[in-house]
Amino acid sequence: MSALAQIPILPLLLATPLACTLLTLVVPERLIKPLNATLSALALGLALALALGFDATTGGYQFAFVRPWIPAFRIQLDLAADGIAVLMSLLNAVVYFTGTLTMWSLNHRTREYFAFISLLVFGVFGVFLSRDLFAFFFFYEVAVLPMYPLIAVWGSTRKAYAAMKLTLYLMAGSALLFPSLIALYVLGGGDTWSIPELARRGFDPSVQVFLYPFLYVGFGILAGMWPLHGWSPTGHVAAPTSVSMLHAGVLMKLGAFGILRVAIGILPHGAEVWAPVAASLATAGIIYGAFVAWRQTDFKYVIGFSSVSHMGIVLLGLATLSADGTRGAVFQMFAHGVMTALFFSVVGFIYDQTHDRDIDHYGGLATQVPVAGTLFILAALCGMGVPGFASFVAEFLVFVAALQAWPVLGIIAIAGLVITAAYLLRVLGKALFGPPNPERAGLLDLRPVQALPRVILAGLLLLFGFVPQLALDLISHIGAVVK
Amino acid sequence: MSAVTLILMVIALLGALVAVSVRDIVHAIFGLAGALLALAALFTTLGSPLVGAMEVLIYVGGISVAMIFAVMLSPHVGRDLRETPARRLGAALIASLLFAGAALAVLSGPAVPDTPEAAGAFDPALVGHALLGDWLLAFEVLSVVLLLAIMGAVIIATREPPAPADAAPAAEEARP
Amino acid sequence: MVLDTPTLTRLALAALAAPLCAFAIAGLALRSRPRAAAALVIASGALTALATLAILALADAPIQQVWTWLRVGDTDLGFGVLLDPRSRLMGAVVGVITLLVQIYSTGYMAHDPGRTRFFALLALFEWAMLGFAYAPDLLQAFIFWELVGLASFFLIGFWYDRPEAIAAAKKAFIMTRVGDVAMLIGLVLLFALAGTLDIRESLDRLHSLLQGHGITSLQVEVAAALLFVGVVGKSAQFPLHTWLPDAMAGPTPVSALLHSATMVAAGVFLFARFEELFLLAPLTRSAALLLTAFTALLAALLASVQVDIKRVWAWSSISQLGTMLAGLAAGGLSSGLFHLTTHAAFKALLFLSAGALIHHYGTQDLRALGRAGARRDRLTMLGLLVGAAALAGIPGFAGFASKEAVLTAVHDVPGRAAATGFALLVIGAGFTAYYVGRVAFLLLRPTAAEPHEPTPPDAHGHPPTTAMSASILTLTLITLALAFAGPLVASLLGQPLPELALAHAVPGIAAVALGLAVAVFDFGRKSSAPPLFERVPALHGLLLRGFYVDAIYQRVFVGAARLCARALHFAETRLLDPAADGLARLTLAMGEGTARGQSGQLQRYIGVAALLLACVALWLGFAE
Amino acid sequence: MTPLTAFNLCALALFCMGLYGVLARKNLIAMLIGVELMLNAASLNALAWGRYGLVDPAHAAVSGQILVLFIIGLAAAEAAIALAIILAVHRHRHSVDVDDLDTLEG
């Protein structure tokens, strides 16, 4: 710990993807992929070191690194990590690393692709690690903007439409956020952007009630909040594999993280007043996403709408404003991130061979490609919230908290588990099981090198399923927002 | 208010009228020159002979002449200025609306002093001191602007036109 | 001899760890070596069986050992073992039956390409069930309850290239999940009421809280009812029973395991585990008694017309589970668990011997099996007949003692509900005897041939192997022995079996005798008269289709869910998305409209600006 | 009517005539003439206000004149550039009709 404290680990973690972006732009073509793999592995190592070095017994913000950025407006580069940020950085690093490995076969404009990806990852790290509200928003935009070219250039189905839709939705969210953040700065005294400081000062109740919905909806759009989720399934579907992984796995978590850190963190009273609305929307999202996923015939659309449903669980957990619900929500963010990354990486692998994602056009994949099939089944089991997988404990905590806070909504949300099982088993039954489709006889299975990133993801799901304490230790210091 | 001033005003307005209404561009430029001369005289009656002199030198002697050169250098540059009545009507309407509004504002505005300052205060020497004292920076900037303008004008005016084949599609593209 | 606490705990942990390790190693490392996988799994099964038997036999006072699995805030979620009489009995049943099924499978699955996976999943199944049986706290119970469902999903859908197997597995998982949702809510409610996850402590606290008016009896009723819904789903009671007959699509050893010691038994065991809770909830208890007794009769009726031998046994399982649950609901803990034990043995025996016949003759049709000469497989038929006798409740066999104990327990409960339940159970017992007799006669006395018979996938055309025969023989002996185990079970559970008074036993025995007599009359003679139910074609058709319950579900619930999905899908694709797109298009149109004003003609811009300026001037002028 | 108001009105009339020229003329040079008129109207106003002490009371004596001097200087620059552009446009398009010059259209 003391040795680690000497190393400015947070700036290093932030600088790694940025360096990756810059180096990717200049190194020779053949070095791009090794460079990205190396630097993403470095980021993963740093995130692991962060998680190991984090002192869970004291909690709070650690590894602080503060430098002035724009002194005239008291904007600082204020990096610090609490348990939530550590867990989320770990998630980001894992998805970054595995996503980079899954794109090894990319050969169309490789340089630009990896530059944008690492820029996006840089932004995500910045959001998770910034304690300064302005820097938070700055990094948030850095993370969101590369999505447009990534989908529009390297995407597939209706990519221009999807990219534009995504950008418009997210810009609408930002349009709600930016004035609200400035309002927080001004009303908070106009002399600090520090999130903890603003939270400590507190705001007038009427201000809180007025500002909270702007922040909640602004961040909620990125979190796939029903009914403003429209961008996310379309975006998932159109994006190339590693972008889908980052997009559903990490980017949607930024929204939930923003709600937790900024909206609820700074405006607890507003959160309390609006909690019933937030919880109702979240529950609607759980049920709605599950039902709509049931009707989909495209692999990625199923996963896309399942993300809406699963992010509903996150938002429901946050809306309980209780310690257990928030812990469950944060854990679910992690579990869902790893799970969808696994889903998209496997689907992407199959899509790359056939350029077809219609589940009716497949059958017996578990026989044809046993390794890929098994990994997909594992992800589906995690999606169903089966014990032994990371999402079980997370969903359990959220449901227990929700039942205590809003029994009726809690029961509806739990009933969503049945629909979740129905739509995931439908995919398994149609595409993974059943008689093998002879037209797909030539499908190749994952080679060991290709399996590695996917196996890492599946292993994480099982590891955190059997030893959830690993994650819960990090976030054990989350307290109830409303006692 | 002296009769001289009034006459000068009338001359200026008449010149301006010629400048904006006649059909021959050369006549219009002469109208402009006339109006500018009258204005230069007005400036002098307002106690600013220096400004009046500059007006004559730069406007009448420089700009007007440059305009005439420009007209002479480019054949068929509208020696016959014919605008549609609708266009003239629209322009007149807007101009007269603005005139009416602003005149109303001027006339109904707060009372203004009608005693001119002592003529002695308008010594050109004072102007010179101010120009090279308080306003030195602006003066220097202006000189740079002038220099650049002259250089730019030379460059723009001497550049060879590109081949028409290139120009045409560019123009097409710009039209949606 | 009584073992000390640490030894017992270690034994229990070993019993839990062995199958999990076997699952992991067989599933990951031995994929291409099926013999090694089978050997490993059987070794782990033997270890577990021995350990559970030792725990059953050599323990004294209840032992509870819990380690913290995870800590959330101030709440410790534990993982551990609770070794009280109930769990010791259940654990031993699981251990022994699973071992025998595993040994049997070496013969039965010898030709299947996926047998490594099969054995690995058997080990997973055993681990899940044992973890549930030994669970000392609510969360652990729920976790392993879910894992039992998961393992049975994979085993039912073992032949995953067959659509009907996948459909059956899906149905089993989703229908039991409906129960699971209710159970989860019930568990959370129980936790909220009692304030602890520890099962025994929570039950104790409930009692004192109820007496001290800390909670209302309604809350207890609701919690009990929710748990009972979970039981209904898992134990395939009406109205969530339709998945179990379909689960026959799995390999026969899976059916043997599923119907005897695991999966469906989990529901019964849950009821037994929370017996104290149900005793505090008289309304729920009465409702449960009626519902399960009704299920017992209904399923016995349905079993009477099936021609597929596995389907007969499947419906009979539902019927017998209803009987057990009725006994438990009547407060007869030892009767219910005794019937669970005997049923586990004889139902496993029935399935394994049926499997041996199917394996040999390549058909599941009772009549075809009879014609093919099933009676020549003497050992198999002996096992089948012993199991059948036990199922029918013929005096002297295991089923008789336990079923009579249940009937007596129900009879001893005062009130109209219990009386109705008793009547339903007695009639059910009569039909049970009838369909058992029917099966026996159809197998022993072949009838005329049918034109068209499909061949199931597990047909291999050879008589049972040694391993299969050995399992069947062992189970036959166990079944015979269990007839005399009643007092042992009763003393283990500390609740004596109800006295078998003649007055109570007469209706039951009479019903069995009548049922057998009708079976003899229908199938035992050389006559061309159609059997009982076929004389009423309408009823026969109704029974063959299970009273259309499944069809109604398809129409009502599945239909409603599909409709809901369609509606929401419509909302997504036709309302929400177009709304967003429309918004975008509106913005674009506004932009285009504005752009049209940008003609690029300088004078228009100046004109507009001047006009605005004029307006401002006019406004100023008039304002002055 | 005070003299100042008369100067103001005269300047206003000049300005509006210039505006009329800019709006009504299609020929670029003719438009430039209008612009020059507008600039001179502004100069006249500035001088008049300076004379009557309404500009920058501290330096009332010179501020108006200085302002006008700058206007004249800038006008010279502007006229030079504008004429150069007009010549260039004429060479490109063989027209100085402003209606033809709409490549800026959005």
Side-chain angles (χ1 to χ4, degrees):
Chain A
M1 176 66 210
S2 58
L4 263 177
Q6 305 302 315
I7 308 168
I9 191 162
L10 296 186
L12 275 179
L13 186 56
L14 198 55
T16 306
L18 184 63
C20 190
T21 309
L22 300 176
L23 287 175
T24 300
L25 292 175
V26 296
V27 296
E29 189 81 25
R30 66 195 158 78
L31 288 181
I32 289 176
K33 286 169 187 169
L35 171 83
N36 275 272
T38 315
L39 284 183
S40 60
L42 176 64
L44 180 59
L46 286 169
L48 273 176
L50 181 65
L52 293 176
F54 186 80
D55 186 357
T57 51
T58 52
Y61 286 99
Q62 297 176 17
F63 306 103
F65 178 89
V66 186
R67 296 286 183 278
W69 184 7
I70 309 177
F73 294 103
R74 286 140 202 109
I75 293 167
Q76 293 181 318
L77 187 67
D78 182 357
L79 302 178
D82 63 353
I84 305 170
V86 171
L87 191 61
M88 289 297 111
S89 302
L90 190 61
L91 168 69
N92 188 28
V94 166
V95 178
Y96 178 36
F97 176 63
T98 54
T100 305
L101 291 192
T102 58
M103 293 309 277
W104 208 260
S105 56
L106 180 80
N107 48 23
H108 171 60
R109 295 194 169 199
T110 323
R111 188 185 300 279
E112 291 88 342
Y113 183 83
F114 283 107
F116 276 126
I117 284 280
S118 42
L119 184 67
L120 188 157
V121 169
F122 163 70
V124 174
F125 274 129
V127 173
F128 288 144
L129 299 176
S130 282
R131 243 186 332 186
D132 184 280
L133 198 54
F134 184 87
F136 186 98
F137 188 73
F138 172 81
F139 285 119
Y140 182 87
E141 292 298 317
V142 169
V144 166
L145 287 178
M147 292 306 288
Y148 182 83
L150 281 171
I151 292 177
V153 177
W154 291 273
S156 52
T157 324
R158 297 174 81 198
K159 56 187 181 182
Y161 169 76
M164 184 49 84
K165 189 171 180 181
L166 176 135
T167 309
L168 285 181
Y169 265 92
L170 299 189
M171 285 302 113
S174 299
L176 289 174
L177 285 180
F178 197 44
S180 319
L181 297 184
I182 292 174
L184 285 181
Y185 171 68
V186 173
L187 296 174
D191 56 355
T192 179
W193 287 94
S194 162
I195 295 173
E197 174 64 17
L198 287 172
R200 197 185 56 72
R201 288 186 187 172
F203 286 83
D204 193 52
S206 60
V207 170
Q208 296 207 16
V209 173
F210 179 78
L211 276 183
Y212 186 78
F214 288 89
L215 288 171
Y216 188 82
V217 175
F219 285 120
I221 288 178
L222 189 55
M225 178 189 76
W226 188 86
L228 299 174
H229 61 275
W231 62 274
S232 99
T234 330
H236 289 346
V237 171
T241 302
S242 83
V243 176
S244 294
M245 290 167 69
L246 277 167
H247 177 190
V250 183
L251 213 63
M252 289 177 89
K253 311 300 173 292
L254 286 191
F257 184 78
I259 289 176
L260 177 61
R261 176 65 49 88
V262 178
I264 298 178
I266 299 183
L267 305 172
H269 176 73
E272 197 182 350
V273 171
W274 287 97
V277 178
S280 307
L281 289 179
T283 310
I286 294 174
I287 300 295
Y288 181 95
F291 267 125
V292 178
W294 199 13
R295 289 282 300 167
Q296 301 303 323
T297 53
D298 183 315
F299 267 119
K300 278 188 154 187
Y301 264 116
V302 175
I303 308 166
F305 280 103
S306 89
S307 286
V308 174
S309 181
H310 283 117
M311 287 306 288
I313 295 178
V314 171
L315 294 176
L316 181 64
L318 293 179
T320 62
L321 303 178
S322 65
D324 278 356
T326 312
R327 287 180 192 128
V330 174
F331 195 10
Q332 169 77 352
M333 281 155 73
F334 181 82
H336 175 252
V338 178
M339 180 187 93
T340 33
L342 179 56
F343 260 134
F344 280 122
S345 67
V346 175
V347 169
F349 172 73
I350 292 168
Y351 176 77
D352 284 346
Q353 296 185 44
T354 61
H355 293 276
D356 182 5
R357 284 190 310 253
D358 193 320
I359 54 179
D360 291 329
H361 297 173
Y362 290 90
L365 281 176
T367 318
Q368 290 171 330
V369 282
V371 179
T374 308
L375 290 167
F376 190 88
I377 293 169
L378 289 179
L381 292 179
C382 185
M384 285 187 263
V386 167
F389 292 90
S391 59
F392 171 77
V393 174
E395 293 182 9
F396 182 78
L397 288 173
V398 170
F399 288 146
V400 170
L403 275 179
Q404 283 165 354
W406 296 285
V408 176
L409 289 180
I411 289 171
I412 295 174
I414 295 178
L417 284 176
V418 177
I419 313 163
T420 307
Y423 74 74
L424 283 172
L425 289 182
R426 172 174 166 269
V427 175
L428 291 188
K430 283 196 169 187
L432 272 295
F433 301 135
N437 183 349
E439 287 173 27
R440 302 276 182 233
L443 273 182
L444 300 174
D445 202 358
L446 289 163
R447 282 179 284 121
V449 181
Q450 294 169 316
L452 176 70
R454 282 108 176 161
V455 168
I456 292 175
L457 293 169
L460 277 177
L461 289 179
L462 284 166
L463 176 68
F464 281 86
F466 276 86
V467 199
Q469 197 66 47
L470 291 175
L472 289 173
D473 265 345
L474 288 175
I475 53 180
S476 60
H477 282 270
I478 295 175
V481 176
V482 179
K483 303 284 188 303
Chain B
M1 189 162 120
S2 68
V4 178
T5 312
L6 201 61
I7 292 165
L8 284 175
M9 280 183 186
V10 171
I11 295 174
L13 289 175
L14 282 177
L17 191 65
V18 170
V20 295
S21 58
V22 294
R23 277 168 58 178
D24 189 328
I25 189 87
V26 179
H27 294 175
I29 296 173
F30 279 119
L32 174 69
L36 292 177
L37 277 172
L39 274 172
L42 269 178
F43 291 171
T44 313
T45 64
L46 280 167
S48 312
L50 175 66
V51 181
M54 297 313 274
E55 177 88 0
V56 174
L57 278 177
I58 294 173
Y59 263 113
V60 186
I63 296 176
S64 303
V65 173
M67 282 181 178
I68 290 184
F69 269 107
V71 172
M72 295 303 176
L73 280 175
S74 41
H76 1 274
V77 170
R79 294 299 295 264
D80 186 19
L81 305 172
R82 253 187 301 203
E83 282 85 30
T84 56
R87 193 180 186 111
R88 294 211 305 240
L89 194 68
L93 198 68
I94 293 174
S96 47
L97 262 180
L98 182 63
F99 181 82
L104 200 63
V106 169
L107 291 175
S108 62
V112 288
D114 56 350
T115 46
E117 306 245 331
F122 292 83
D123 188 357
L126 282 176
V127 178
H129 279 298
L131 210 52
L132 294 176
D134 289 353
W135 303 96
L136 181 61
L137 185 63
F139 183 77
E140 293 298 339
V141 170
L142 180 65
S143 61
V144 174
V145 169
L146 274 168
L147 180 65
L148 289 178
I150 291 162
M151 287 162 63
V154 169
I155 290 169
I156 292 171
T158 56
R159 186 180 291 162
E160 285 301 309
D166 287 349
E172 281 306 308
E173 229 171 39
R175 282 173 204 273
Chain C
M1 185 179 85
V2 170
L3 294 175
D4 57 347
T5 306
T7 316
L8 282 170
T9 315
R10 251 175 255 140
L11 272 178
L13 286 182
L16 278 172
L20 179 62
C21 295
F23 163 69
I25 296 170
L28 290 176
L30 299 176
R31 289 199 80 100
S32 52
R33 305 180 59 193
R35 285 176 158 278
L40 178 71
V41 168
I42 289 175
S44 81
L47 180 64
T48 307
L50 283 177
T52 51
L53 278 175
I55 292 168
L56 173 68
L58 305 175
D60 190 7
I63 296 166
Q64 180 162 342
Q65 187 82 43
V66 181
W67 296 270
T68 302
W69 175 49
L70 69 153
R71 176 185 292 259
V72 182
D74 305 326
T75 317
D76 279 351
L77 302 178
F79 172 85
V81 289
L82 163 60
L83 304 176
D84 69 345
R86 286 170 230 181
S87 63
R88 279 154 55 199
L89 179 63
M90 189 71 218
V93 171
V94 173
V96 172
I97 302 282
T98 309
L99 175 64
L100 290 173
V101 169
Q102 285 169 345
I103 292 172
Y104 178 89
S105 302
T106 55
Y108 194 87
M109 302 297 286
H111 310 285
D112 198 288
R115 56 195 186 281
T116 310
R117 185 164 50 92
F118 183 78
F119 279 102
L121 287 171
L122 282 186
L124 176 72
F125 207 1
E126 181 177 24
W127 175 63
M129 190 62 201
L130 210 55
F132 175 65
Y134 285 164
D137 81 15
L138 296 172
L139 181 65
Q140 187 185 343
F142 182 71
I143 287 176
F144 282 97
W145 171 272
E146 286 283 297
L147 287 176
V148 168
L150 181 69
S152 56
F153 167 78
F154 281 119
L155 282 170
I156 294 169
F158 177 73
W159 286 310
Y160 57 73
D161 46 357
R162 296 171 58 202
E164 69 270 23
I166 287 307
K170 243 169 81 176
K171 191 170 174 184
F173 193 82
I174 293 175
M175 285 192 84
T176 52
R177 201 152 233 239
V178 172
D180 296 353
V181 165
M183 175 179 164
L184 177 59
I185 298 168
L187 289 180
V188 173
L189 180 58
L190 198 59
F191 173 59
L193 291 180
T196 173
L197 284 166
D198 189 308
I199 291 175
R200 291 198 308 165
E201 201 182 333
S202 67
L203 292 176
D204 287 349
R205 280 198 204 169
L206 275 191
H207 200 265
S208 53
L209 278 170
L210 200 55
Q211 279 177 339
H213 298 288
I215 51 175
T216 64
S217 57
L218 180 66
Q219 288 173 315
V220 178
E221 290 277 4
V222 170
L226 287 168
L227 286 192
F228 182 66
V229 175
V231 173
V232 165
K234 209 68 151 188
S235 290
Q237 296 297 291
F238 181 84
L240 295 178
H241 62 280
T242 59
W243 64 269
L244 192 56
D246 288 7
M248 293 300 106
T252 311
V254 170
S255 311
L257 201 53
L258 200 77
H259 287 258
S260 57
T262 55
M263 190 69 184
V264 292
V268 180
F269 184 71
L270 183 80
F271 202 109
R273 173 52 81 209
F274 289 94
E275 181 79 9
E276 290 86 345
L277 171 69
F278 287 103
L279 287 176
L280 294 176
L283 278 177
T284 306
R285 214 149 57 90
S286 304
L289 179 60
L290 273 178
L291 190 73
T292 52
F294 171 70
T295 310
L297 172 58
L298 177 80
L301 273 175
L302 295 174
S304 306
V305 296
Q306 303 296 330
V307 291
D308 181 329
I309 186 167
K310 285 177 78 176
R311 280 195 169 259
V312 178
W313 296 155
W315 285 112
S316 108
S317 294
I318 297 177
S319 167
Q320 297 303 307
L321 290 162
T323 312
M324 291 170 216
L325 286 167
L328 289 172
L333 181 64
S334 43
S335 343
L337 282 183
F338 181 36
H339 195 48
L340 171 71
T341 312
T342 57
H343 175 261
F346 68 68
K347 189 47 67 64
L349 174 58
L350 286 172
F351 267 112
L352 292 188
S353 38
L357 293 180
I358 295 166
H359 203 68
H360 191 171
Y361 298 108
T363 175
Q364 298 185 181
D365 189 312
L366 278 169
R367 299 158 301 185
L369 280 173
R371 278 194 296 280
R375 62 189 179 282
R376 285 196 298 274
D377 289 11
R378 294 189 184 283
L379 181 69
T380 311
M381 280 311 288
L382 173 71
L384 195 136
L385 288 177
V386 168
L391 171 60
I394 293 171
F397 288 93
F400 172 74
S402 54
K403 198 184 289 180
E404 282 306 321
V406 168
L407 283 175
T408 315
V410 174
H411 189 272
D412 287 349
V413 177
R416 202 173 292 161
T420 316
F422 181 73
L424 291 170
L425 286 175
V426 167
I427 302 171
F431 280 111
T432 305
Y434 171 74
Y435 70 71
V436 167
R438 175 175 172 268
V439 171
F441 283 119
L442 281 177
L443 287 181
L444 294 174
R445 299 179 65 101
T447 51
E450 294 279 324
H452 170 72
E453 286 159 3
T455 306
D458 35 4
H460 295 289
H462 60 78
T465 63
T466 321
M468 291 160 74
S469 298
S471 297
I472 292 173
L473 189 63
T474 316
L475 270 174
T476 312
L477 295 176
I478 292 175
T479 305
L480 288 171
L482 278 177
F484 310 101
L488 280 174
V489 172
S491 72
L492 173 73
L493 294 171
Q495 184 201 45
L497 288 174
E499 282 294 314
L500 265 190
L502 198 59
H504 305 163
V506 162
I509 296 171
V512 170
L514 187 64
L516 279 176
V518 176
V520 170
F521 180 76
D522 272 0
F523 301 101
R525 311 174 299 149
K526 288 234 184 294
S527 107
S528 55
L532 182 61
F533 288 106
E534 289 175 30
R535 280 176 211 152
V536 193
L539 179 63
H540 189 244
L542 208 56
L543 289 176
L544 272 180
R545 286 165 190 80
F547 290 108
Y548 293 98
V549 173
D550 222 12
I552 293 170
Y553 281 173
Q554 280 295 328
R555 286 281 164 76
V556 178
F557 293 107
V558 180
R562 279 188 200 288
L563 196 68
C564 208
R566 283 172 99 102
L568 291 181
H569 188 246
F570 179 85
E572 174 74 17
T573 51
R574 295 280 137 71
L575 300 178
L576 275 183
D577 254 11
D581 290 354
L583 206 61
R585 265 199 294 277
L586 182 69
T587 317
L588 268 182
M590 278 164 60
E592 270 165 18
T594 321
R596 207 160 294 135
Q598 309 292 307
S599 56
Q601 297 193 343
L602 188 62
Q603 283 167 318
R604 272 200 209 168
Y605 301 164
I606 300 173
V608 171
L611 198 59
L612 286 176
L613 194 63
C615 292
V616 171
L618 276 172
W619 180 63
L620 279 175
F622 281 111
E624 289 289 335
Chain D
M1 188 160 67
T2 65
L4 180 56
T5 313
F7 280 113
N8 286 157
L9 284 180
C10 176
L12 180 61
L14 274 176
F15 184 88
C16 289
M17 283 178 175
L19 180 64
Y20 168 81
V22 171
L23 290 181
R25 299 287 204 182
K26 285 160 72 173
N27 185 298
L28 279 172
I29 296 180
M31 283 173 71
L32 190 61
I33 292 174
V35 172
E36 302 298 349
L37 281 176
M38 288 160 82
L39 276 171
N40 276 289
S43 302
L44 179 60
N45 254 352
L47 272 183
W49 277 330
R51 174 73 177 179
Y52 289 90
L54 286 174
V55 177
D56 188 13
H59 306 92
V62 291
S63 289
Q65 300 185 58
I66 295 216
L67 184 59
V68 175
L69 284 176
F70 280 130
I71 291 176
I72 293 173
L74 284 174
E78 166 244 316
I81 296 278
L83 287 171
I85 290 175
I86 290 168
L87 282 180
V89 166
H90 180 257
R91 268 205 307 248
H92 273 279
R93 299 242 171 145
H94 303 286
S95 161
V96 290
D97 188 333
V98 71
D99 286 355
D100 298 341
L101 306 177
D102 56 358
T103 40
L104 273 177
E105 181 175 1

